[in-house]
Amino acid sequence: MKGYFASHFFNDAMFQWTESLASFLERETGIEMYVPQRNDDINNKKDNDENITAIKIAQADTLELQKANILIASLDGLTIDDGVSGEIMAFGIIKEMEYEYNLENSKPRLIIGVITDMRWQGTGNNKLYRNQMIIGKIEEHGLLIEGYPNDNSYKDDIVKTILDFKNRNNL
């Protein structure tokens, strides 16, 4: 079973969080995870920037989205990262097109949105807004898992969701 981990990993804190969570999920579920930050061909701006193009990024990440059974998407940040939003929509559309056209190579697919920002659990003016089209695409093809700072129980929720999906689909 293959997974794809979408996050805004372009600063040190998110880079480390992404790697930590991806490694944890790989260990606990046996999932083979594509994590874009690990792909130096398209994301090593320090040593490889002159060779990185928008087309190379789009092609490499789209290929991995097509291969994946599960998309895990970080929804944290001031807004949902533009790339993460694109990955969520692309993955959902891939699933929908496979179903609509009854493609032989279609596979079971699931989106897991992960949000750990404490403001998400607020109400009224304390509520963190997220684009409803993106949230809707996640809910249409999966679920949201909510976490809270300094409480790692959301990680167990993700593991349980992945293992349940894996068992339900004999993966």
Side-chain angles (χ1 to χ4, degrees):
M1 181 172 67
K2 295 185 182 286
Y4 185 113
F5 195 113
S7 76
H8 58 290
F9 57 84
F10 298 103
N11 63 61
D12 187 52
M14 281 306 297
F15 192 96
Q16 290 183 45
W17 178 84
T18 300
E19 184 57 39
S20 173
L21 183 55
S23 294
F24 173 79
L25 296 175
E26 288 167 326
R27 255 189 336 271
E28 296 298 314
T29 67
I31 193 170
E32 182 183 329
M33 189 82 69
Y34 175 75
V35 185
Q37 73 186 35
R38 295 176 181 168
N39 186 345
D40 281 348
D41 289 342
I42 60 168
N43 284 311
N44 183 346
K45 290 9 174 209
K46 182 178 177 186
D47 300 319
N48 194 31
D49 192 54
E50 66 279 356
N51 297 316
I52 299 171
T53 66
I55 291 173
K56 284 182 182 179
I57 293 168
Q59 289 174 338
D61 287 349
T62 300
L63 178 63
E64 295 300 330
L65 284 166
Q66 292 170 339
K67 293 177 185 177
N69 299 100
I70 295 179
L71 171 65
I72 300 159
S74 170
L75 308 178
D76 286 333
L78 184 58
T79 62
I80 301 172
D81 178 78
D82 295 348
V84 172
S85 292
E87 289 157 327
I88 291 167
M89 293 303 295
F91 193 79
I93 296 297
I94 290 168
K95 179 178 179 173
E96 292 162 17
M97 291 188 75
E98 286 176 340
Y99 177 78
E100 181 179 344
Y101 293 103
N102 197 25
L103 299 177
E104 288 180 23
N105 65 343
S106 64
K107 57 185 73 176
R109 295 184 188 271
L110 175 71
I111 301 174
I112 302 172
V114 179
I115 189 160
T116 65
D117 191 311
M118 68 178 69
R119 297 169 292 184
W120 177 254
Q121 297 178 12
T123 59
N125 289 336
N126 292 318
K127 177 76 172 172
L128 180 68
Y129 174 78
R130 287 292 175 247
N131 182 288
Q132 294 299 287
M133 183 172 188
I134 302 303
I135 296 299
K137 192 56 70 180
I138 293 167
E139 291 175 342
E140 181 181 11
H141 299 297
L143 70 153
L144 288 172
I145 293 182
E146 297 178 15
Y148 199 82
N150 208 31
D151 177 356
N152 288 326
S153 61
Y154 74 94
K155 293 179 180 180
D156 295 329
D157 294 339
I158 299 169
V159 168
K160 181 181 181 327
T161 301
I162 291 171
L163 292 176
D164 287 350
F165 177 80
K166 192 175 181 179
N167 290 335
R168 244 186 355 265
N169 292 287
N170 299 314
L171 297 172

